[in-house]
Amino acid sequence: MPGAEVVAVYPNKIKIAVHEIADLGGGEPVEVGSYLRVYDSNASSIIAIIENYSIEVRGAESSDGEREKVYLIEAVPLGFIGADDKFQRGGGGIAIPPKEVMVASHGEIQKIYDALGTDIRRFHFAQLSQDAKVAVPVDGDKFFNRHIAIVGSTGSGKSHAMARIIQAATEIRDSKRSEYSLNNSHVVIFDIHSEYLSAFPEANYLSVDSLALPYWLLNSEELQTLFIESVEEQSHNQIATLKRGITENRRKHYRGSDEKRELIHYDSPLFFDIGEVIEYIQAKNDEMVEGSSGKPVNGPLKGKLVNFLTRLENKYTDRRLDFLLGEKVKELTLEEVLRQFTGYRKDQSSNVTIIDLSGVPFEVLSISVSLISRLLFDYAFYYKKTHSEGKAETPILVVYEEAHKYVPRSDLSRFSASRAAIERIAKEGRKYGITAAIVSQRPAEISETIFSQCSNFLAMRLTNPEDQRYVRRLIPDSLGPLTDSLPMLSSGEALLLGDAAVMPSVVKLREAEPAPSSSDICYMQEWIRPWHDVLFGPLLEDWEK
C-alpha cells in the first residue's frame, strides 16, 4: 500500500490519503502550512500548501487491538512546475491520475520565488515563515510603484516591518557603480509616535521644534478647517471675510507686475501676513459706515466677528503652533520648504526624512499632514513635467504611520483636507513617481478610497474580526484559508500578497537593524527596581515651553 495517494483533485483543492506520514515527509516535518509536490508520470507537478488534515480510522481491529489510521490531507494548489522545471501560477497540464506526493524540498520551494528572476527589480526583505532558508523576494518596481498597506494589531511588528523595508531600500546599489554613499531612494515618514529616529539615526529629522510649515501655503479648505467653526451662526460671514482679507493681503505683498497681481486669488501659494489679516478682520468687526442721514451707523459686520477674532488671536499667539503660524515661517521660501521635506538639505542630503508628529497638537495634525502631502505631490508633478523628458527621476515613498488617525472613514470636516490630499496621491501619484505606504492597526477604519488603491499588502497579526474580514476580501477565494492564520501570527510574521509577490505567502521579516523605538514598555522590569526619583524641573520646563 503506498504511503500517500491522491484521492481527489478539485479546481481549488487536492485531497490526499496518507498511510505513513514518514513516507510523505521523507525526513522533513509535515504540518499545516507545509508545501507538497504532487507528481505525474511526466515529471510535471503541482505545488500545494496543506490547509488542514483529519484522521480516519478504517478496518477491523488487529490482534493487538489497533485499527488502521489514515490521514486525510486537504491542500490548496498554488501553481505548476512543468518539465522545464520553472514555476507558473495557476493550473497546468498534469496527467491524471497523479503518481506521487512528497513534501517539497527547500530547493523546490525556492524555485517558486525564483520565478521573479535575478535582475535589478528583485527586492528582498523577508524569508518564508515555514522555512527560513527560503528567500521570498518581490518585484521591486511593482512593490514601490503601487501603493503598499501594512496592517496589524498593536505589537505585531508593523513599525519594525516598515523600518526593515526602508533599510533594505536605502542599502541597494547599482552593482556596476558602488562608490556612492547615498543611493537615489527618497522616503518621507509621518512618524506619529516618535519611533523611527532610532532606526534611521542619519535621517533628515523634523520635530515640532525644527519643523517649519508656513501657514501661507495652506489652501482655502485647510485655512477654513484651521480657523472656522462651521457650526457657528456667523460662519458664512467669517469665511467671506477671511477670503477677502487673505486675497487682498497676498496681492499687497506680491512683488511682481500689476497684471499678475490681479490674477492672485485665495488659493495662490503666495505669502500673506496673518497678523495684518487679523487687523483687517478687527477693522471689519469695528467698522462704522455713513448712514442715509449722514450719521455713522454700524457696518454690516459690526460686532459679528468677535468669536472669530478670539479664535484667530488664540491660535496666532499659541506657542505650540509656532511651526505653523510663528515668525520663523514668514521668511521661508517655497524652495526651502520643499528641500526640508524631500531630504535635499543644504548641509547634507538624506534618503529618509522623518516628520515627527508626536509634538504636533491634535487639532492641527490633519492639516499638517494635508499640507505636506500636497507639497510632495506638487513637487513630484512639476518635477516630471519639467525634467528629463517627463521622467520621474526622484520617486518618493510616503509612509503614513497610524493612518487611521488622520484619514479615517469619517465625514467629519476636520479630516476632509488630509483625506483629499492622500486620496489624490492614492489615485494619481503613481503617474508622477509618488506612492504611499499606509500603516495602520485598524484597516477597516481607513478611508476605503485610499485602501482600495493599495496593490501590495503585508497583513500582520490581526485580532479584530472586522479587520480580518477586510483583509480576506483582498485575496482570491482559493487562497482564502491563508487568512485563517491572521489572529495567530507571531510578531514579525506577515501574510504577503499583491501585484509584486509571486503568490500570497506567510513570511517572516528580519529584525530592523537598528530597530525603531516601538518596543513595549517592560513594566515588570521597571516595577521591581528600587523607587526612582523624578526630576520634575526639566519635565515641566519642556511641557510649559
Side-chain angles (χ1 to χ4, degrees):
M1 182 178 292
E5 59 181 335
V6 176
V7 295
V9 177
Y10 307 102
N12 60 353
K13 194 168 292 186
I14 299 172
K15 197 169 186 178
I16 302 160
V18 181
H19 303 275
E20 296 291 341
I21 288 292
D23 292 342
L24 176 66
E28 298 288 341
V30 181
E31 56 191 20
V32 172
S34 290
Y35 288 76
L36 301 178
R37 188 165 181 175
V38 184
Y39 296 84
D40 70 3
S41 57
N42 299 319
S44 297
S45 59
I46 291 173
I47 297 292
I49 187 171
I50 296 178
E51 177 187 344
N52 60 64
Y53 75 92
S54 59
I55 299 174
E56 186 175 295
V57 179
R58 297 178 178 176
E61 290 186 2
S62 62
S63 57
D64 57 3
E66 295 291 327
R67 297 173 65 187
E68 179 190 4
K69 293 181 180 178
V70 177
Y71 297 86
L72 296 177
I73 294 174
E74 291 187 337
V76 178
L78 302 174
F80 173 77
I81 295 181
D84 59 359
D85 215 27
K86 291 183 179 179
F87 176 81
Q88 300 176 40
R89 288 290 302 274
I94 190 167
I96 299 175
K99 300 295 184 183
E100 184 180 6
V101 181
M102 292 291 291
V103 171
S105 67
H106 303 297
E108 290 168 338
I109 299 172
Q110 187 65 66
K111 284 177 185 175
I112 298 173
Y113 298 101
D114 287 345
L116 277 175
T118 58
D119 64 14
I120 60 172
R121 294 179 303 163
R122 182 185 173 98
F123 180 66
H124 174 227
F125 59 87
Q127 313 298 120
L128 190 65
S129 181
Q130 192 74 26
D131 187 343
K133 297 177 183 177
V134 177
V136 183
V138 296
D139 184 315
D141 283 345
K142 291 181 179 179
F143 189 69
F144 291 113
N145 190 36
R146 291 155 171 78
H147 306 297
I148 306 163
I150 299 181
V151 299
S153 302
T154 300
S156 61
K158 298 185 300 299
S159 298
H160 283 261
M162 192 72 253
R164 178 61 205 141
I165 291 170
I166 297 170
Q167 287 172 352
T170 58
E171 291 165 1
I172 55 178
R173 292 285 186 274
D174 182 345
S175 58
K176 299 177 183 177
R177 296 176 57 206
S178 58
E179 72 279 4
Y180 47 85
S181 58
L182 291 180
N183 66 9
N184 194 40
S185 56
H186 300 266
V187 182
V188 179
I189 305 173
F190 287 100
D191 187 359
I192 200 81
H193 294 307
S194 194
E195 297 175 335
Y196 282 89
L197 182 59
S198 61
F200 303 97
E202 302 299 321
N204 172 33
Y205 178 70
L206 302 172
S207 68
V208 71
D209 295 322
S210 57
L211 177 64
L213 193 57
Y215 64 85
W216 48 268
L217 285 172
L218 295 171
N219 65 19
S220 54
E221 184 177 15
E222 292 158 350
L223 285 165
Q224 289 164 199
T225 300
L226 179 61
F227 292 129
I228 306 294
E229 287 289 347
S230 58
V231 295
E232 284 190 5
E233 182 181 353
Q234 294 296 324
S235 61
H236 61 290
N237 284 326
Q238 295 173 9
I239 292 171
T241 308
L242 184 68
K243 179 179 180 179
R244 285 195 301 271
I246 289 176
T247 303
E248 290 179 15
N249 203 261
R250 289 193 200 275
R251 291 173 177 170
K252 172 185 172 182
H253 287 277
Y254 182 64
R255 295 292 177 260
S257 66
D258 290 341
E259 182 180 357
K260 290 184 177 180
R261 180 179 287 109
E262 291 304 312
L263 300 177
I264 293 172
H265 54 86
Y266 190 16
D267 279 315
S268 297
L270 299 170
F271 175 77
F272 70 89
D273 190 308
I274 185 64
E276 293 176 4
V277 171
I278 292 175
E279 291 175 1
Y280 169 86
I281 296 171
Q282 181 70 63
K284 290 295 181 183
N285 186 67
D286 298 337
E287 186 178 35
M288 302 290 290
V289 297
E290 185 177 322
S292 56
S293 63
K295 295 181 179 180
V297 297
N298 290 342
L301 297 175
K302 173 72 172 179
K304 295 181 179 180
L305 303 174
V306 174
N307 290 344
F308 185 31
L309 280 165
T310 301
R311 188 182 315 114
L312 282 168
E313 290 166 352
N314 286 344
K315 290 185 182 297
Y316 186 45
T317 57
D318 188 343
R319 295 283 65 84
R320 299 176 306 151
L321 303 182
D322 274 357
F323 73 95
L324 183 64
L325 299 171
E327 291 299 316
K328 69 177 181 180
V329 305
K330 291 185 177 181
E331 304 301 323
L332 285 177
T333 65
L334 181 55
E335 178 179 339
E336 289 171 326
V337 174
L338 290 175
R339 284 183 176 275
Q340 173 187 215
F341 297 131
T342 55
Y344 288 98
R345 299 181 298 187
K346 292 185 178 179
D347 53 344
Q348 181 184 356
S349 295
S350 177
N351 295 119
V352 179
T353 295
I354 298 172
I355 303 172
D356 187 345
L357 299 173
S358 60
V360 173
F362 180 75
E363 60 266 29
V364 296
L365 175 63
S366 179
I367 293 170
S368 301
V369 172
S370 171
L371 175 53
I372 298 170
S373 297
R374 278 199 304 106
L375 290 173
L376 290 172
F377 181 92
D378 289 342
Y379 161 81
F381 174 83
Y382 286 107
Y383 186 101
K384 184 176 179 182
K385 185 177 179 180
T386 59
H387 285 70
S388 301
E389 300 177 350
K391 293 180 181 177
E393 296 176 315
T394 59
I396 300 173
L397 175 69
V398 187
V399 179
Y400 293 98
E401 263 282 346
E402 301 285 6
H404 56 278
K405 292 194 173 182
Y406 37 84
V407 279
R409 189 181 298 180
S410 168
D411 294 327
L412 292 176
S413 60
R414 70 171 180 265
F415 298 120
S416 60
S418 59
R419 186 168 57 248
I422 300 174
E423 284 181 356
R424 188 184 183 198
I425 290 176
K427 289 186 284 190
E428 303 177 44
R430 285 181 52 209
K431 295 180 287 188
Y432 306 111
I434 178 168
T435 51
I438 307 297
V439 184
S440 176
Q441 58 183 281
R442 290 306 315 276
E445 291 184 2
I446 291 178
S447 163
E448 196 159 358
T449 300
I450 292 171
F451 235 100
S452 66
Q453 297 296 323
C454 292
S455 299
N456 295 291
F457 294 84
L458 273 175
M460 310 188 84
R461 183 177 65 251
L462 283 169
T463 54
N464 185 286
E466 186 178 355
D467 294 324
Q468 292 170 20
R469 287 193 293 271
Y470 196 89
V471 173
R472 284 192 180 100
R473 299 206 311 263
L474 303 173
I475 66 177
D477 291 341
S478 62
L479 297 170
L482 283 174
T483 60
D484 292 340
S485 63
L486 286 176
M488 298 172 286
L489 294 174
S490 62
S491 181
E493 286 187 325
L495 174 57
L496 170 65
L497 58 146
D499 292 351
V502 174
M503 65 180 183
S505 306
V506 178
V507 299
K508 179 78 173 179
L509 279 78
R510 288 185 290 154
E511 285 285 329
E513 181 58 44
S517 57
S518 57
S519 301
D520 292 337
I521 304 299
C522 302
Y523 270 72
M524 297 310 298
Q525 180 179 318
E526 296 299 324
W527 281 5
I528 63 175
R529 293 172 51 201
W531 182 261
H532 180 76
D533 284 328
V534 172
L535 297 175
F536 280 89
L539 183 154
L540 294 175
E541 182 181 350
D542 190 51
W543 190 342
E544 292 166 354
K545 182 177 67 176

